[in-house]
Amino acid sequence: MVRWLKRSYIYLIFAFLYLPIAVLMVYSLNDARSRGMWGGFTLRWYVELFQDRTIMNSLYATLIIGVSSALIATVIGTMAAIGIHNTRGVPKKLIMNVTYLPVLNPEIVTAISLMLLFVFSRMRFGYITLLLSHITFNVPYVILSVLPKLRQLNKHLYEAALDLGCTPLQALWKVIIPEIMPGIITGLLLAFTLSIDDFVVSFFTTGSGVSTLSITVYSMARRGINPKINALSTIMFTFVLALLIIVNVRQAREERKERNGRRVPKKDSPYDPRFGSA
Amino acid sequence: MKRLSLTPYVIWMVLFTVVPMLLVLYYAFTVPTEGGTTWSLENFTRFFQPIYLRVFIRSLNLAVISTLICLLLGYPAAMIMAGNAFKRKHVIMLLFVVPMWMNFLLRTYAWLTILERNGFLNSLLTFFSLPRVNILYTNGAVVLGMVYNFLPFMVLPIYSVLSKIDKGVVEAAGDLGANPFQVFIKVILPLSLPGVVSGITMVFMPAMTTFVISRLLGGGQFTLIGNLIEQQFLVVGDWGFGSAISVVMIVVILLSMAVMSFFEGEEKDVALW
Amino acid sequence: MVSEIIVQLKGVSKYYDDTPALTDVDLYIRKNEFVTLLGPSGCGKTTMLRLIGGFEKPDTGTITFNGQDIGNVPSHKRKVNTVFQRYALFSHLNVFENIAFGLRIKKMKESVIREKVSRMLELVNLQGYEKRDVNSLSGGQQQRVAIARALVNEPDVLLLDEPLAALDLKLRKEMQHELKNMQRQLGITFLFVTHDQEEALSMSDTVVVMKDGEIQQIGTPEMIYNEPVNAFVADFIGESNIVDGIMRQDYLVEFAGNLFECADSGFARDELVDVVIRPEDLALMPPDQAKLKGVVRSVNFLGVHYEMIVEGADGTEWLVHSTLMEPVGTMVGLGLEPMDIHIMKKVRA
Ligand SMILES: Nc1ncnc2c1ncn2[C@@H]1O[C@H](COP(=O)(O)OP(=O)(O)OP(=O)(O)O)[C@@H](O)[C@H]1O
Ligand SMILES: [Mg+2]
């Protein structure tokens, strides 16, 4: 009985969480002029969506920025994590504190501070400023995904590689990097999704006609409802869902492997609730 | 060699994190004069004028209300999910997180569709012959948007603390004669406090600083502190004032985090200044 | 015939932030020798291996390899390989690739690699495990992969840091045997670390007993066991009774209120000494026939023998190992031969 009550409560919360998404999905297939009514099934909004130059351009920009900022942030962040892992004392504390700064700062503060920087250095607002900003807020998350992997590493692994004839660089490349690869990939995915999801920082650091999806949605939404956005939401949600399932299957496999391998238990991943669910 | 791998990041960090923050401080503490700038607290004194203070109070107010609602809704949810009401806990948790993966703007936009005059809600009400409501562009809608967007930030930390509580402790308390209510008050609640604290921080902070939710669902009539900053930078062009408000906001947030970590009473991994 | 020296440490010290981990160590290791470092936790055994392996630099002293100073040779250029304390296998590689790792770094031909690795797999008894994920192996198997991974490079010296510590007793005995066989077969010098004295005594040609970063004694297992140089070595090598004594004159020592004949000489008259008596050297006998007497306080059956604690009249507790036993509370006598009384200079505290 009590159990039934408990479950109902959770289902209610789920209803609250999923209702807006479901409504969007249904409306994206609705052919009615008046949006409150059901006017029959249509794929018209999807067709229009793909014909909309603004939306398509911003989708393109979002993906370009997402992929390139995630890749660059992953390289910088992984190198940084390895460096931080081998640093001690005050320098380490200092670097970690500054690393947490963009994570803890309100987004809008990060956004305006970067905007000031670009104004101050007389950069032209556009792709480059956008890319630099995205890399900046992504790097800390990559570092925070890679560091726990480094901490779990058997600390003699690097020495074992040297012992077997590797130069320090080879040891890093042939042993350390492959061993922490799961953390690097998590960091890469996290960076990519954060970049895709970002609105605030992009809004303040873009210019000269470059617009990400979030920015386009924002300006459309300010003018009221637009069924094309419904179609876009549906597509993105489905895509994200597919991605999520892949990631979860991968993670489950990884965990099974770790359990068999009697390795050190996993440390908490950096705090993004979407990744902290495991 | 290992130190070398830090160099690109350190340079990046200085250029894109430290220098920008210093710029914010610089703009906040200077005012333009003919032929240059001078140090001044004017931007801050301006902030304490009634019209701006009112914005600040309203932001604080809405953020506190949203945080409280998230706590009230989220704590029981976290507790149920951490308990044994469901067999496949990780699936439930996954279902809980999935909506978070939607683009933040689209998620907020979705509520427009529901709340607008001819939207889903009013269609539903009409269908049941109930009176229509107009809650879009009100404080209520803003709070709703905040709760919707930030609820998971409250639930997840509490859930993770609760699910780590040793079952033996709870049973021991029961064994020592505590009734379920006493067990909750005397054992579970205190043990889950760190989760509550980080949940509160994680909801309060974005709620206090958002400008998107208020802009879309509040329709621009209900300016919050985030909107104020946005306007200073993108509309008015008064960067000094905008920076000063940002500094005030950072101070408020650092203060609330300090208070929170005092309540938490335990050394956290995250080193704050 | 005595073979030549391959590794030599001269006056080697190592400090971690001013606390010494090794102080002024002199040690040489001959070719094909099986040398064991033995000592309690934290005495500097791992530090010594790391210095020889090239993972740390000594603060003072020199380390030579075949007569050459190797102070500035980085570890990947030393003809030394290490089996690490917790194996340090590469979990992103399978068994075959783990073993082949060093050969690949040296860019050997694929056919050579195959042949060498399969010979190694045979040696460590892991044929058919090539494709296995190293995390799915048992502790003993992982351990053997670690040994194969090091041995396949044909090092002149193999360093093994407590390679058997994580194994259960039975497996450990087996592996001790296998290791010893491998060492004989391959003719490689082994420097082996353990804190298990039985392991040290049964496997080694030479045992090095260490304490607090200093070498206490170097010798064959028999020498170490039979003629420990001080009470610490005696106690560490086998549980011992150590009591205070006074050397009344050559071959005559006083302890526990009695004078005993002994086999030692060369002490000053009335010098305070440590008297060490092994538990198995104390024989139970009727009280009236023995100088040492006491009451049995506890009896433990340990499988092969009984362990008893006998409390003497002066309160000294004697540990006695015997295949016979007397019930708790009985008055017994403890007999001992002069040869079994080991007199040692007091260690400066
Ligand atoms: N990297 C280090 N930094 C500081 N102190 C260290 C370091 N490595 C070892 N020590 C110290 O040096 C001493 C010797 O350590 P070592 O690891 O050589 O001991 P060990 O004999 O191998 O012990 P065990 O049997 O526990 O492995 C110890 O007191 C240890 O605390
Ligand atoms: Mg050791």
Side-chain angles (χ1 to χ4, degrees):
Chain A
M1 217 286 285
V2 180
R3 189 179 178 137
W4 169 84
L5 254 174
K6 285 178 177 174
R7 286 186 178 188
S8 314
Y9 181 74
I10 296 296
Y11 293 143
L12 267 176
I13 298 265
F14 277 1
F16 172 60
L17 291 177
Y18 281 90
L19 175 79
I21 297 171
V23 169
L24 279 190
M25 287 182 144
V26 172
Y27 277 12
S28 78
L29 300 166
N30 183 7
D31 198 11
R33 294 247 158 262
S34 136
R35 282 173 297 264
M37 303 294 168
W38 177 252
F41 177 85
T42 183
L43 289 176
R44 175 172 128 208
W45 307 121
Y46 289 85
V47 176
E48 282 188 22
L49 171 70
F50 285 106
Q51 285 166 352
D52 188 318
R53 289 300 286 274
T54 321
I55 295 182
M56 283 301 118
N57 282 342
S58 50
L59 177 65
Y60 182 71
T62 304
L63 290 179
I64 295 265
I65 298 285
V67 170
S68 43
S69 75
L71 285 176
I72 298 173
T74 304
V75 172
I76 298 177
T78 304
M79 285 170 64
I82 292 170
I84 291 171
H85 185 67
N86 292 297
T87 309
R88 301 267 164 276
V90 178
K92 180 171 187 156
K93 266 214 179 95
L94 194 68
I95 291 175
M96 282 318 282
N97 271 319
V98 182
T99 298
Y100 276 112
L101 202 59
V103 178
L104 296 177
N105 250 348
E107 274 179 306
I108 194 168
V109 174
T110 307
I112 58 133
S113 71
L114 283 166
M115 179 186 159
L116 285 179
L117 175 76
F118 298 138
V119 170
F120 197 77
S121 54
R122 296 180 207 292
M123 287 186 68
R124 234 178 51 130
F125 282 75
Y127 263 111
I128 300 295
T129 49
L130 209 50
L131 183 64
L132 291 175
S133 312
H134 279 231
I135 296 171
T136 302
F137 69 70
N138 276 337
V139 171
Y141 288 95
V142 175
I143 294 178
L144 299 181
S145 318
V146 175
L147 267 183
K149 283 281 161 204
L150 282 167
R151 260 185 243 126
Q152 310 172 5
L153 224 54
N154 180 326
K155 64 177 195 287
H156 296 305
L157 229 41
Y158 176 74
E159 290 173 355
L162 294 184
D163 186 76
L164 295 169
C166 285
T167 60
L169 211 61
Q170 278 178 319
L172 203 64
W173 191 246
K174 291 191 188 263
V175 174
I176 304 299
I177 300 285
E179 291 279 338
I180 58 175
M181 199 41 100
I184 297 177
I185 291 177
T186 308
L188 182 78
L189 288 176
L190 184 55
F192 180 70
T193 40
L194 285 171
S195 168
I196 299 273
D197 209 39
D198 173 71
F199 166 71
V200 178
V201 174
S202 305
F203 190 59
F204 281 86
T205 54
T206 190
S208 58
V210 182
S211 170
T212 64
L213 261 186
S214 299
I215 296 174
T216 306
V217 170
Y218 179 71
S219 56
M220 285 177 151
R222 265 168 56 186
R223 276 179 260 127
I225 306 293
N226 185 333
K228 281 184 271 183
I229 303 184
N230 298 348
L232 179 69
S233 310
T234 309
I235 293 176
M236 283 183 72
F237 186 68
T238 318
F239 175 76
V240 155
L241 203 63
L243 199 73
L244 199 65
I245 289 171
I246 294 170
V247 169
N248 258 279
V249 169
R250 209 181 65 89
Q251 223 167 36
R253 214 182 311 141
E254 176 83 9
E255 261 159 36
R256 211 170 321 128
K257 206 166 122 187
E258 290 195 5
R259 225 173 303 133
N260 290 345
R262 283 169 295 173
R263 272 201 243 155
V264 201
K266 204 161 134 191
K267 270 264 175 75
D268 289 349
S269 42
Y271 211 92
D272 181 301
R274 291 172 296 193
F275 284 79
S277 65
Chain B
M1 211 281 301
K2 285 169 175 176
R3 289 295 175 89
L4 214 65
S5 68
L6 254 179
T7 322
Y9 176 58
V10 170
I11 294 172
W12 194 281
M13 210 168 66
V14 170
L15 278 183
F16 294 102
T17 306
V18 178
V19 169
M21 287 311 292
L22 293 178
L23 279 175
V24 171
L25 288 177
Y26 172 77
Y27 275 99
F29 286 100
T30 54
V31 287
T33 55
E34 294 147 47
T37 53
T38 70
W39 297 102
S40 156
L41 287 177
E42 195 189 311
N43 291 319
F44 290 94
T45 46
R46 237 178 96 197
F47 180 74
F48 289 99
Q49 288 170 9
I51 52 163
Y52 298 123
L53 273 184
R54 224 172 296 139
V55 173
F56 180 77
I57 301 286
R58 188 185 303 134
S59 299
L60 200 64
N61 212 353
L62 293 189
V64 168
I65 292 173
S66 307
T67 309
L68 278 179
I69 295 178
C70 282
L71 184 61
L72 289 178
L73 283 178
Y75 196 99
M79 208 160 122
I80 293 170
M81 288 196 280
N84 50 13
F86 294 96
K87 278 198 201 74
R88 317 197 61 184
K89 262 191 230 178
H90 55 282
V91 176
I92 292 295
M93 279 321 283
L94 192 62
L95 281 175
F96 190 75
V97 204
V98 165
M100 299 277 296
W101 281 75
M102 266 287 261
N103 185 298
F104 165 66
L105 260 138
L106 291 177
R107 253 183 297 154
T108 311
Y109 161 81
W111 281 102
L112 269 181
T113 325
I114 294 178
L115 299 181
E116 68 161 346
R117 192 187 308 268
N118 294 316
F120 179 75
L121 182 65
N122 277 333
S123 310
L124 208 66
L125 291 174
T126 317
F127 184 79
F128 290 109
S129 323
L130 291 167
R132 301 159 72 94
V133 292
N134 272 324
I135 46 174
L136 191 57
Y137 308 137
T138 63
N139 280 349
V142 175
V143 170
L144 181 68
M146 287 179 180
V147 171
Y148 182 69
N149 274 304
F150 305 137
L151 181 63
F153 290 99
M154 179 66 80
V155 173
L156 289 168
I158 300 178
Y159 170 82
S160 89
V161 173
L162 281 177
S163 56
K164 277 181 208 142
I165 291 181
D166 184 2
K167 292 238 159 41
V169 178
V170 176
E171 280 162 13
D175 186 63
L176 295 171
N179 64 34
F181 179 73
Q182 287 169 321
V183 170
F184 176 76
I185 292 293
K186 299 223 179 261
V187 180
I188 298 178
L189 195 60
L191 283 176
S192 66
L193 220 52
V196 173
V197 167
S198 69
I200 290 178
T201 323
M202 295 193 56
V203 172
F204 179 76
M205 214 175 76
M208 183 73 194
T209 62
T210 182
F211 76 93
V212 180
I213 297 176
S214 48
R215 190 57 187 266
L216 291 184
L217 301 179
Q221 304 168 33
F222 294 91
T223 317
L224 299 190
I225 198 159
N227 304 76
L228 198 57
I229 297 177
E230 182 221 358
Q231 278 171 19
Q232 299 312 310
F233 278 91
L234 298 183
V235 184
V236 183
D238 189 345
W239 298 345
F241 187 41
S243 300
I245 308 172
S246 303
V247 171
V248 171
M249 208 157 66
I250 295 175
V251 170
V252 169
I253 279 163
L254 284 181
L255 277 179
S256 61
M257 280 179 144
V259 171
M260 282 299 164
S261 61
F262 171 77
F263 275 116
E264 196 171 18
E266 127 188 34
E267 194 71 18
K268 273 215 300 191
D269 207 18
V270 182
L272 284 175
W273 296 83
Chain C
M1 197 202 88
V2 184
S3 57
E4 60 197 288
I5 291 170
I6 183 160
V7 176
Q8 181 153 29
L9 283 75
K10 276 189 196 147
V12 168
S13 303
K14 176 75 193 170
Y15 299 86
Y16 291 110
D17 311 323
D18 298 339
T19 51
L22 280 183
T23 32
D24 201 19
V25 165
D26 289 303
L27 174 70
Y28 61 81
I29 298 169
R30 292 178 187 285
K31 225 164 220 165
N32 298 350
E33 207 178 3
F34 194 122
V35 177
T36 299
L37 298 181
L38 175 66
S41 193
C43 70
K45 307 180 294 285
T46 300
T47 305
M48 179 117 80
L49 285 202
R50 293 172 59 79
L51 289 170
I52 298 172
F55 307 119
E56 305 276 2
K57 280 195 188 313
D59 291 319
T60 66
T62 55
I63 302 176
T64 56
F65 199 86
N66 284 328
Q68 308 254 323
D69 189 339
I70 53 168
N72 289 317
V73 181
S75 67
H76 60 276
K77 297 208 177 111
R78 297 190 184 187
K79 282 206 62 81
V80 173
N81 284 110
T82 309
V83 177
F84 287 86
Q85 197 156 4
R86 281 175 57 225
Y87 316 148
L89 296 180
F90 305 136
S91 57
H92 66 290
L93 300 175
N94 63 21
V95 170
F96 184 94
E97 289 302 327
N98 261 280
I99 300 176
F101 189 89
L103 304 178
R104 289 208 192 284
I105 293 295
K106 293 193 197 91
K107 303 223 185 323
M108 291 204 179
K109 279 221 300 269
E110 186 63 30
S111 56
V112 181
I113 294 180
R114 275 188 192 290
E115 200 213 301
K116 283 184 186 253
V117 172
S118 66
R119 197 151 14 100
M120 264 310 137
L121 282 166
E122 203 175 315
L123 184 74
V124 297
N125 229 329
L126 282 176
Q127 301 103 312
Y129 283 77
E130 289 86 349
K131 294 262 154 10
R132 284 280 289 273
D133 181 354
V134 289
N135 296 306
S136 71
L137 300 178
S138 72
Q141 290 165 338
Q142 290 190 357
Q143 143 85 93
R144 281 180 286 180
V145 174
I147 292 171
R149 184 178 71 176
L151 277 180
V152 77
N153 302 290
E154 295 161 14
D156 290 346
V157 177
L158 185 66
L159 309 175
L160 303 103
D161 196 352
E162 304 197 34
L164 309 181
L167 307 183
D168 65 47
L169 189 64
K170 187 160 169 293
L171 199 56
R172 193 152 80 213
K173 293 275 182 225
E174 275 173 37
M175 284 302 301
Q176 285 175 4
H177 213 73
E178 283 182 39
L179 270 180
K180 187 69 194 167
N181 280 341
M182 276 183 227
Q183 190 253 342
R184 283 208 195 100
Q185 261 181 50
L186 300 169
I188 292 178
T189 311
F190 273 38
L191 181 55
F192 185 93
V193 165
T194 181
H195 55 230
D196 176 342
Q197 25 83 18
E198 218 181 296
E199 193 166 283
L201 296 180
S202 66
M203 296 175 78
S204 327
D205 300 319
T206 304
V207 176
V208 179
V209 184
M210 298 178 60
K211 180 195 171 206
D212 297 339
E214 289 178 39
I215 293 181
Q216 304 290 311
Q217 188 172 9
I218 305 177
T220 63
E222 291 79 10
M223 277 166 60
I224 300 275
Y225 190 83
N226 293 329
E227 296 149 44
V229 293
N230 58 33
F232 169 79
V233 176
D235 192 37
F236 196 74
I237 286 298
E239 269 179 302
S240 287
N241 296 294
I242 302 172
V243 295
D244 293 333
I246 304 166
M247 205 63 188
R248 288 304 179 196
Q249 63 187 63
D250 282 356
Y251 310 112
L252 194 65
V253 64
E254 181 183 335
F255 63 90
N258 270 301
L259 281 172
F260 292 86
E261 274 181 54
C262 65
D264 297 85
S265 60
F267 292 87
R269 178 173 271 269
D270 293 338
E271 181 174 344
L272 291 176
V273 292
D274 281 326
V275 177
V276 177
I277 300 167
R278 299 199 174 282
E280 65 270 25
D281 292 337
L282 287 168
L284 291 182
M285 51 175 54
D288 49 349
Q289 291 173 26
K291 287 189 189 168
L292 270 178
K293 305 188 230 307
V295 180
V296 179
R297 288 292 175 220
S298 78
V299 180
N300 258 324
F301 181 56
L302 294 185
V304 187
H305 56 76
Y306 292 93
E307 179 183 271
M308 279 165 279
I309 293 172
V310 175
E311 190 183 331
D314 56 348
T316 318
E317 291 192 332
W318 296 98
L319 191 68
V320 181
H321 287 174
S322 166
T323 49
L324 309 170
M325 72 87 117
E326 292 289 340
V328 173
T330 328
M331 179 65 116
V332 294
L334 300 171
L336 74 177
E337 300 294 318
M339 280 302 294
D340 299 331
I341 298 173
H342 306 280
I343 308 295
M344 299 184 182
K345 277 204 183 298
K346 282 252 180 221
V347 202
R348 281 152 292 132

